Amino acid sequence: MFIKSFYDPSHLRILFGIALVCSSISTTHSQSISLEQSVKKALEHSSALKSAQAGVEKYQFRSKQNAQILNPALVFDAENIGGSDAYSGTDSAEYTLTIEQRLELGGKQSVRRKLAGMDLKEASLKEQRIRELIVSETRRRFLNLIIAQNLESIASERLGATTHAANAVKTRQEMGAANALDGHRMEISVSLAGIQHNEAVQQLELARRRLSSLWGEENPNFDAVNSEIQIPDSIPNFEVLFQALQTSLSWKLNEVDLDRKQLLIEMEKSNSHPDLTLSAGRRWFRSEEAEAWNVGLAIDLPIFNRNQHGIRAASAASRQSNFQIAANRRKLKEELSQIYHTLTATWNTTRNLQQSTIPKAKDTYQLASEGFELGRYELLYLLEVQQTLFEIESFHLESLSHFFEATTDLYEILAESTPQSLIF
């Protein structure tokens, strides 16, 4: 009775129907984690981000320090002490107490404040950039875990379907309806499916550990990630992405360096102006028991050193920065172009698989299943069609992986400037 029921064509159709899997497979786990939770954990435990935040704090205090006025100097002079004749001893001594204040000319203090502000701005942008890179890496590992989950699910379905088919062949052998060669072929298929499933399980575990390592957990406390992956109906053209690039931090960080070089030129020009030192004090004449006020003024004479070479060096550094920025931006544009090429190619492949290849493979499997029920096809032919469907769906998942890898590369450059249609 069991054998008869097992060999009922409709029952076999149900068994082979488990092979019909798609890229949106989701596995139920006891505990899952979302992308938002992963990003939050990664940011909270990032030493690189904490270092950047300390750097911002450093430049905040340095900016305040550069706004301080120079301290005055208190100078005490004692003259005519310990000489000869009338100047022996301290009877003819003269004592002077003076306060000196150096006044910076040429706008030195103003330029220093601007430079400190520029350092603070750059530190803040770098802190934001590090935050973006952490989010990007978290998204990348989160995506890899989604792909690994789907691959494990497909491998599991394949192993289950192959095992059921092998049992069916074994039962037929016992009934004399199948030969030994069919049994050997099914044993090989089951063995291969088992190896592939074990590999998928290992890759899934590795992906879980790589994600949790972002917040310092060697043993993940979650079983799966909670998300689905779907490609958008369309992708923006290259001009839209290039405009987004020009508003990204990757682009703006170059502008900060250029602005700093311009301020350094101003600093060198201000250093060409001599500083003025004012002094005021009181002198005591012990021999005459008299006192007098002193007022002084000192200024460097820019005769030999007018800092002309420092100005030229700063100008050369500014030109160097201009060329370097142009090279950096050209590299960014080239990188964006390469990512866009991969993006469009994988998008087209995935769309074709979804709209044409996979439906045809499923229809073929349906026809083969119906033909098997009517006795037109052998079981191994049905298994071959089933294998083709598995391979196509695995290829579809691989194409999805490449597409979202490209979107992650794009997000790494554009971050918040990335078009919403390309953020999953």
Side-chain angles (χ1 to χ4, degrees):
M1 185 69 178
F2 170 76
I3 295 177
K4 182 178 180 180
S5 174
F6 186 84
Y7 269 100
D8 184 77
S10 61
H11 183 67
L12 284 176
R13 184 176 177 181
I14 293 174
L15 290 177
F16 288 116
I18 63 175
L20 298 177
V21 294
C22 61
S23 61
S24 60
I25 293 173
S26 60
T27 307
T28 302
H29 295 267
S30 60
Q31 184 177 359
S32 62
I33 189 171
S34 66
L35 176 60
E36 291 74 16
Q37 292 172 327
S38 300
V39 169
K40 182 179 179 181
K41 283 176 170 286
L43 291 175
E44 287 177 350
H45 295 82
S46 172
S47 298
L49 182 59
K50 292 177 181 178
S51 174
Q53 291 170 341
V56 171
E57 185 178 0
K58 174 185 70 176
Y59 285 112
Q60 286 175 339
F61 288 114
R62 183 168 293 180
S63 178
K64 294 180 179 179
Q65 181 60 42
N66 286 332
Q68 300 296 313
I69 300 174
L70 295 177
N71 290 324
L74 183 64
V75 181
F76 175 76
D77 288 330
E79 301 178 7
N80 303 330
I81 296 178
S84 60
D85 299 332
Y87 295 100
S88 62
T90 60
D91 293 338
S92 300
E94 298 179 8
Y95 303 102
T96 306
L97 184 64
T98 306
I99 294 180
E100 296 181 351
Q101 177 68 54
R102 185 162 66 94
L103 303 178
E104 294 182 303
L105 304 181
K108 295 183 181 68
Q109 188 181 36
S110 175
V111 176
R112 276 203 310 274
R113 285 200 298 266
K114 290 179 181 179
L115 277 172
M118 191 61 61
D119 289 338
L120 177 58
K121 179 180 179 181
E122 183 179 31
S124 299
L125 291 177
K126 286 184 176 180
E127 186 265 339
Q128 295 178 40
R129 183 60 182 152
I130 290 175
R131 185 183 297 271
E132 289 179 351
L133 293 175
I134 294 171
V135 173
S136 176
E137 183 61 22
T138 305
R139 294 172 65 88
R140 188 184 304 278
R141 299 190 188 189
F142 191 88
L143 169 65
N144 289 338
L145 182 48
I146 294 176
I147 297 298
Q149 285 181 184
N150 282 269
L151 285 174
E152 188 277 332
S153 182
I154 289 178
S156 178
E157 294 286 350
R158 179 180 180 182
L159 178 59
T162 306
T163 301
H164 281 295
N167 291 334
V169 171
K170 183 178 180 180
T171 304
R172 278 195 171 189
Q173 283 181 318
E174 294 173 353
M175 297 175 60
N179 55 43
L181 180 61
D182 290 341
H184 290 315
R185 293 180 63 180
M186 288 309 306
E187 288 178 3
I188 294 173
S189 296
V190 171
S191 176
L192 180 60
I195 293 172
Q196 292 175 337
H197 179 255
N198 288 335
E199 183 179 354
V201 171
Q202 292 176 3
Q203 291 299 320
L204 176 59
E205 179 62 21
L206 177 61
R208 289 173 61 243
R209 290 180 179 274
R210 290 191 72 246
L211 178 61
S212 65
S213 67
L214 287 174
W215 49 86
E217 289 183 1
E218 295 183 1
N219 297 315
N221 61 357
F222 60 90
D223 297 315
V225 292
N226 182 20
S227 183
E228 295 183 357
I229 49 176
Q230 296 179 349
I231 64 170
D233 295 331
S234 62
I235 57 177
N237 57 39
F238 182 77
E239 288 70 21
V240 172
L241 297 182
F242 182 63
Q243 291 177 1
L245 175 63
Q246 293 174 306
T247 63
S248 67
L249 279 181
S250 303
W251 197 270
K252 292 179 180 179
L253 280 171
N254 290 298
E255 296 175 352
V256 173
D257 185 64
L258 181 60
D259 292 340
R260 174 187 282 102
K261 292 298 191 298
Q262 293 297 321
L263 285 175
L264 288 175
I265 294 176
E266 291 185 30
M267 173 61 76
E268 294 298 338
K269 288 181 178 179
S270 67
N271 288 335
S272 66
H273 295 275
D275 294 335
L276 180 65
T277 301
L278 301 178
S279 62
R282 192 169 181 83
R283 174 171 291 188
W284 291 269
F285 302 91
R286 184 168 183 179
S287 61
E288 301 176 4
E289 297 295 331
E291 300 176 359
W293 286 99
N294 290 337
V295 176
L297 184 149
I299 189 170
D300 295 332
L301 298 178
I303 298 175
F304 303 108
N305 182 9
R306 300 186 301 277
N307 200 36
Q308 63 271 29
H309 300 302
I311 295 173
R312 291 176 180 175
S315 299
S318 179
R319 292 195 304 272
Q320 180 186 23
S321 182
N322 280 328
F323 291 126
Q324 186 61 49
I325 288 172
N328 291 343
R329 289 180 170 177
R330 189 181 300 112
K331 184 178 179 180
L332 282 173
K333 187 175 181 180
E334 290 175 357
E335 189 174 351
L336 180 66
S337 179
Q338 293 174 0
I339 294 173
Y340 185 74
H341 176 75
T342 303
L343 199 67
T344 53
T346 54
W347 183 82
N348 286 324
T349 299
T350 305
R351 292 278 289 182
N352 289 334
L353 286 169
Q354 286 182 346
Q355 297 178 357
S356 178
T357 308
I358 290 179
K360 289 180 180 179
K362 289 182 177 181
D363 290 342
T364 301
Y365 176 78
Q366 181 69 24
L367 292 173
S369 179
E370 293 174 356
F372 175 78
E373 293 176 13
L374 298 175
R376 296 175 181 174
Y377 304 117
E378 293 292 332
L379 176 62
L380 294 180
Y381 177 75
L382 183 59
L383 293 176
E384 182 180 349
V385 175
Q386 178 199 68
Q387 174 67 19
T388 301
L389 179 59
F390 274 122
E391 291 177 353
I392 291 175
E393 291 182 334
S394 297
F395 179 62
H396 175 233
L397 190 58
E398 181 182 357
S399 179
L400 271 176
S401 176
H402 292 324
F403 174 79
F404 283 102
E405 184 73 18
T407 62
T408 307
D409 292 338
L410 185 67
Y411 185 88
E412 187 172 318
I413 298 177
L414 303 183
E416 297 302 323
S417 300
T418 306
Q420 288 298 316
S421 60
L422 296 177
I423 299 179
F424 74 94

